[in-house]
mmCIF file of all heavy atoms in Angstrom:
data_model
loop_
_atom_site.group_PDB
_atom_site.id
_atom_site.type_symbol
_atom_site.label_atom_id
_atom_site.label_comp_id
_atom_site.label_asym_id
_atom_site.label_seq_id
_atom_site.Cartn_x
_atom_site.Cartn_y
_atom_site.Cartn_z
ATOM 1 N N MET P 152 -63.201 -0.112 21.708
ATOM 2 C CA MET P 152 -63.042 -0.169 20.235
ATOM 3 C C MET P 152 -63.544 -1.490 19.710
ATOM 4 O O MET P 152 -64.231 -1.591 18.721
ATOM 5 C CB MET P 152 -61.661 0.097 19.797
ATOM 6 C CG MET P 152 -61.165 1.524 19.980
ATOM 7 S SD MET P 152 -62.171 2.688 19.217
ATOM 8 C CE MET P 152 -61.860 2.430 17.514
ATOM 9 N N SER P 153 -63.360 -2.597 20.538
ATOM 10 C CA SER P 153 -63.852 -3.888 20.128
ATOM 11 C C SER P 153 -65.390 -3.984 20.018
ATOM 12 O O SER P 153 -65.922 -4.758 19.310
ATOM 13 C CB SER P 153 -63.356 -4.935 21.041
ATOM 14 O OG SER P 153 -63.917 -4.849 22.269
ATOM 15 N N LYS P 154 -65.975 -3.121 20.828
ATOM 16 C CA LYS P 154 -67.519 -3.051 20.887
ATOM 17 C C LYS P 154 -67.995 -2.307 19.636
ATOM 18 O O LYS P 154 -69.269 -2.348 19.306
ATOM 19 C CB LYS P 154 -68.003 -2.544 22.203
ATOM 20 C CG LYS P 154 -67.589 -3.291 23.319
ATOM 21 C CD LYS P 154 -68.044 -2.604 24.643
ATOM 22 C CE LYS P 154 -67.930 -3.463 25.970
ATOM 23 N NZ LYS P 154 -66.434 -3.857 26.173
ATOM 24 N N LEU P 155 -67.192 -1.528 18.967
ATOM 25 C CA LEU P 155 -67.662 -0.768 17.776
ATOM 26 C C LEU P 155 -67.160 -1.307 16.554
ATOM 27 O O LEU P 155 -67.370 -0.718 15.401
ATOM 28 C CB LEU P 155 -67.201 0.657 18.010
ATOM 29 C CG LEU P 155 -67.785 1.436 19.159
ATOM 30 C CD1 LEU P 155 -67.149 2.734 19.286
ATOM 31 C CD2 LEU P 155 -69.283 1.532 19.018
ATOM 32 N N GLY P 156 -66.363 -2.332 16.544
ATOM 33 C CA GLY P 156 -65.730 -2.928 15.301
ATOM 34 C C GLY P 156 -66.764 -3.537 14.408
ATOM 35 O O GLY P 156 -68.053 -3.793 14.748
ATOM 36 N N THR P 157 -66.437 -3.876 13.249
ATOM 37 C CA THR P 157 -67.259 -4.439 12.179
ATOM 38 C C THR P 157 -67.696 -5.775 12.494
ATOM 39 O O THR P 157 -68.784 -6.180 12.091
ATOM 40 C CB THR P 157 -66.500 -4.475 10.752
ATOM 41 O OG1 THR P 157 -65.361 -5.289 10.958
ATOM 42 C CG2 THR P 157 -66.248 -3.112 10.332
ATOM 43 N N ARG P 158 -66.961 -6.582 13.417
ATOM 44 C CA ARG P 158 -67.456 -7.868 13.835
ATOM 45 C C ARG P 158 -67.987 -7.885 15.156
ATOM 46 O O ARG P 158 -68.281 -8.993 15.812
ATOM 47 C CB ARG P 158 -66.177 -8.808 13.834
ATOM 48 C CG ARG P 158 -65.496 -8.845 12.490
ATOM 49 C CD ARG P 158 -64.138 -9.684 12.521
ATOM 50 N NE ARG P 158 -64.424 -11.131 12.823
ATOM 51 C CZ ARG P 158 -63.425 -12.036 12.790
ATOM 52 N NH1 ARG P 158 -62.222 -11.707 12.686
ATOM 53 N NH2 ARG P 158 -63.836 -13.313 13.056
ATOM 54 N N SER P 159 -68.325 -6.777 15.696
ATOM 55 C CA SER P 159 -69.042 -6.715 17.017
ATOM 56 C C SER P 159 -70.496 -6.857 16.855
ATOM 57 O O SER P 159 -70.990 -6.811 15.788
ATOM 58 C CB SER P 159 -68.707 -5.337 17.780
ATOM 59 O OG SER P 159 -69.337 -4.234 16.927
ATOM 60 N N SER P 160 -71.100 -7.227 18.024
ATOM 61 C CA SER P 160 -72.493 -7.475 18.072
ATOM 62 C C SER P 160 -73.246 -6.101 17.818
ATOM 63 O O SER P 160 -72.878 -5.110 18.229
ATOM 64 C CB SER P 160 -72.974 -7.966 19.372
ATOM 65 O OG SER P 160 -74.381 -8.107 19.565
ATOM 66 N N GLU P 161 -74.336 -6.192 17.186
ATOM 67 C CA GLU P 161 -75.225 -5.085 16.851
ATOM 68 C C GLU P 161 -75.814 -4.316 18.122
ATOM 69 O O GLU P 161 -76.261 -3.237 18.173
ATOM 70 C CB GLU P 161 -76.299 -5.297 15.906
ATOM 71 C CG GLU P 161 -75.889 -5.595 14.428
ATOM 72 C CD GLU P 161 -75.376 -4.241 13.934
ATOM 73 O OE1 GLU P 161 -76.028 -3.209 14.074
ATOM 74 O OE2 GLU P 161 -74.294 -4.274 13.128
ATOM 75 N N CYS P 162 -75.864 -5.237 19.108
ATOM 76 C CA CYS P 162 -76.508 -4.686 20.413
ATOM 77 C C CYS P 162 -75.679 -3.588 20.998
ATOM 78 O O CYS P 162 -76.224 -2.745 21.678
ATOM 79 C CB CYS P 162 -76.762 -5.762 21.444
ATOM 80 S SG CYS P 162 -75.218 -6.498 22.148
ATOM 81 N N TRP P 163 -74.384 -3.589 20.739
ATOM 82 C CA TRP P 163 -73.628 -2.423 21.250
ATOM 83 C C TRP P 163 -73.935 -1.151 20.622
ATOM 84 O O TRP P 163 -74.060 -0.070 21.299
ATOM 85 C CB TRP P 163 -72.061 -2.703 21.132
ATOM 86 C CG TRP P 163 -71.505 -3.775 21.968
ATOM 87 C CD1 TRP P 163 -71.122 -5.036 21.589
ATOM 88 C CD2 TRP P 163 -71.472 -3.774 23.438
ATOM 89 N NE1 TRP P 163 -70.746 -5.800 22.650
ATOM 90 C CE2 TRP P 163 -70.891 -4.965 23.780
ATOM 91 C CE3 TRP P 163 -71.706 -2.782 24.379
ATOM 92 C CZ2 TRP P 163 -70.663 -5.365 25.153
ATOM 93 C CZ3 TRP P 163 -71.526 -3.054 25.779
ATOM 94 C CH2 TRP P 163 -70.956 -4.332 26.182
ATOM 95 N N LYS P 164 -74.135 -1.282 19.318
ATOM 96 C CA LYS P 164 -74.587 0.125 18.617
ATOM 97 C C LYS P 164 -76.020 0.452 18.874
ATOM 98 O O LYS P 164 -76.330 1.568 18.813
ATOM 99 C CB LYS P 164 -74.329 -0.254 17.121
ATOM 100 C CG LYS P 164 -72.975 -0.538 16.698
ATOM 101 C CD LYS P 164 -72.801 -1.011 15.335
ATOM 102 C CE LYS P 164 -71.388 -1.503 14.910
ATOM 103 N NZ LYS P 164 -71.235 -2.103 13.648
ATOM 104 N N GLN P 165 -76.834 -0.550 19.310
ATOM 105 C CA GLN P 165 -78.116 -0.176 19.611
ATOM 106 C C GLN P 165 -78.369 0.135 21.146
ATOM 107 O O GLN P 165 -79.519 0.368 21.578
ATOM 108 C CB GLN P 165 -79.111 -1.348 19.311
ATOM 109 C CG GLN P 165 -79.120 -1.613 17.757
ATOM 110 C CD GLN P 165 -79.815 -2.956 17.446
ATOM 111 O OE1 GLN P 165 -80.198 -3.803 18.304
ATOM 112 N NE2 GLN P 165 -79.845 -3.290 16.098
#
Side-chain angles (χ1 to χ4, degrees):
M152 294 300 294
S153 67
K154 295 175 176 60
L155 297 175
T157 56
R158 302 176 67 179
S159 64
S160 174
E161 285 296 319
C162 69
W163 289 112
K164 299 170 186 176
Q165 298 168 0

